[in-house]
Amino acid sequence: MEVLDLLNLHLGPPLSLRLTMAAKHVKPCLLLVLIFSAYVCVSAEPNNRKKSLNIIKQLNRRGPYIGLITVIRTEENAFFATGSFRPDPKYPFVDLSGRRFRIGKVHGKKVIFVRCGVGMVNAAAATQQMLDLFDVEGIIHFGIAGNVNNSMSIGDVTIPSQVAHTGIWDWLNPQGTVDQDDVAQLDIGSYNVPTGSGSNLLGHIGYRKEQFFSKSGEPNIAQSLVWAKTSPQWLQLASNFGELILEQCVNSSLCLPQKPKLVVGLRASTANIFVDNAAYRDFLFQTFHISSVDMESAAVVMTSLSNGFPLIVIRGLSDLAGRQRGENAIKAFGSLAAVNAAKAVLAFIARLPGYAR
């Protein structure tokens, strides 16, 4: 069997074909280097995964852990900047499927931290991976969010009691029939300026219910769901924080006009949309009576509940989701919101009973 035939067997036709074409333009010795490098790259990943899974088995013998899931680097940096995370001396992290799972303790309690990445697919994938592979007994999901409630302010921290996925739409044509099972409808034409003038070819949007599969339900039988509720015991625990001192200033020259507060028990919504539009912000508040919007929470909540794990969502409000004049405030106050969310997370972990020290 020739070298390129062997390469085709192990690496597959696409890569083999490219190297075959390259062989016409390079010297034999250089071609062998290319082949060896390609083979090492392809074969290394299975070995790395096997090594990571073996480490996870060892870590699970020391469990259980509390799972911590955040989204972006700003939130990750704010959490680790508190100095409360103590890395595991032997296995401080495990890399798997492109994500780094950090192992350690917070307030003496065992935790596993991961940054999932933006959007519902990333959030659901990271959550399922953590629940499947690690010995965790619950999930704390935290980060920043947009504020759609005029009674709240940038810098506040919200711990919602329920979260809806408001990104499942039926986008109908102007003559389309509204589905009576839709949770809500958005008539785009009603936002024409001047009001009621002409027609809008974008028609209207019907908000659908989520299909929720659960370990406690019948296999392959989905439950229609609008609001996914966070764990009531954990929510009650968060309600007993007392006064939580939150940051008011980014630095000496940039401060919020009022002292931030913690609010427990409101509603939140999630969609793969960054909301920075005042009209849509008001629609969401008036229709769904939510206080915050983000791009991951519903995915984490539904994935955790589907698998039968308790969870809580903690989000710092970073912006006004379009109500502001000028630029979105997330650039100025996103880091402060992340710090305040991290403070609430630490306060919650400190009060969690029953986790091995």
Side-chain angles (χ1 to χ4, degrees):
M1 182 179 291
E2 295 185 2
V3 173
L4 286 175
D5 292 331
L6 184 63
L7 186 65
N8 182 66
L9 178 64
H10 287 280
L11 302 184
L15 182 55
S16 176
L17 178 61
R18 290 197 296 270
L19 289 175
T20 302
M21 294 174 64
K24 300 177 181 179
H25 306 284
V26 300
K27 295 180 179 180
C29 59
L30 180 57
L31 177 61
L32 288 175
V33 172
L34 290 173
I35 294 172
F36 178 76
S37 299
Y39 185 81
V40 169
C41 290
V42 172
S43 61
E45 178 56 30
N47 290 333
N48 288 340
R49 181 176 176 82
K50 184 176 180 180
K51 179 180 177 181
S52 294
L53 292 175
N54 286 333
I55 293 174
I56 291 171
K57 286 183 181 179
Q58 297 180 51
L59 289 170
N60 286 342
R61 297 190 186 106
R62 310 184 208 163
Y65 299 84
I66 305 165
L68 308 179
I69 300 178
T70 193
V71 181
I72 60 176
R73 192 176 296 276
T74 300
E75 300 156 351
E76 181 180 63
N77 292 342
F79 176 74
F80 288 117
T82 65
S84 297
F85 180 86
R86 297 287 184 266
D88 185 272
K90 186 175 183 180
Y91 298 119
F93 62 85
V94 179
D95 292 338
L96 193 65
S97 303
R99 291 188 176 89
R100 175 157 293 184
F101 293 82
R102 300 181 185 274
I103 320 300
K105 290 184 176 182
V106 173
H107 295 318
K109 299 174 183 177
K110 297 175 182 178
V111 301
I112 298 176
F113 172 98
V114 68
R115 171 163 53 91
C116 67
V118 174
M120 297 186 69
V121 172
N122 279 325
T127 304
Q128 189 65 58
Q129 195 171 35
M130 181 174 281
L131 296 177
D132 282 343
L133 296 179
F134 294 92
D135 181 14
V136 297
E137 290 198 349
I139 298 292
I140 301 173
H141 173 55
F142 65 101
I144 61 177
N147 172 26
V148 299
N149 185 340
N150 291 339
S151 68
M152 299 186 70
S153 304
I154 292 174
D156 290 351
V157 174
T158 177
I159 302 181
S161 61
Q162 45 192 337
V163 184
H165 179 192
T166 54
I168 304 181
W169 296 351
D170 291 323
W171 200 321
L172 307 176
N173 63 55
Q175 289 76 41
T177 303
V178 175
D179 190 336
Q180 296 304 311
D181 289 334
D182 284 347
V183 179
Q185 289 86 35
L186 170 61
D187 182 6
I188 297 174
S190 65
Y191 290 88
N192 286 356
V193 178
T195 303
S197 175
S199 61
N200 194 305
L201 297 180
L202 289 176
H204 53 271
I205 292 170
Y207 289 77
R208 301 179 63 180
K209 297 177 182 178
E210 180 67 89
Q211 289 188 328
F212 178 66
F213 294 86
S214 171
K215 62 174 288 188
S216 60
E218 291 291 327
N220 270 356
I221 303 298
Q223 172 189 350
S224 294
L225 184 71
V226 179
W227 298 103
K229 297 182 179 180
T230 57
S231 303
Q233 296 89 349
W234 281 19
L235 197 68
Q236 182 61 40
L237 190 64
S239 300
N240 298 326
F241 274 1
E243 184 179 5
L244 183 63
I245 300 176
L246 300 173
E247 295 295 326
Q248 187 173 346
C249 297
V250 177
N251 52 49
S252 59
S253 60
L254 182 59
C255 293
L256 296 168
Q258 69 287 317
K259 184 179 179 181
K261 59 185 179 295
L262 171 70
V263 182
V264 179
L266 300 178
R267 287 178 168 183
S269 78
T270 297
N272 282 321
I273 304 166
F274 181 83
V275 178
D276 190 22
N277 181 278
Y280 191 58
R281 172 190 192 269
D282 292 343
F283 167 81
L284 288 173
F285 177 76
Q286 294 165 10
T287 305
F288 295 97
H289 310 293
I290 60 172
S291 293
S292 60
V293 290
D294 64 65
M295 299 171 66
E296 297 81 24
S297 292
V300 178
V301 172
M302 291 193 63
T303 304
S304 299
L305 293 179
S306 180
N307 288 274
F309 287 83
L311 80 147
I312 196 167
V313 174
I314 300 174
R315 291 273 183 164
L317 301 182
S318 59
D319 60 272
L320 298 177
R323 185 170 176 263
Q324 77 285 344
R325 293 182 179 179
E327 275 197 50
N328 191 293
I330 191 172
K331 294 180 180 179
F333 292 106
S335 59
L336 182 143
V339 168
N340 284 347
K343 285 193 169 191
V345 170
L346 296 178
F348 182 77
I349 293 174
R351 288 162 176 77
L352 264 181
Y355 286 85
R357 292 177 176 270

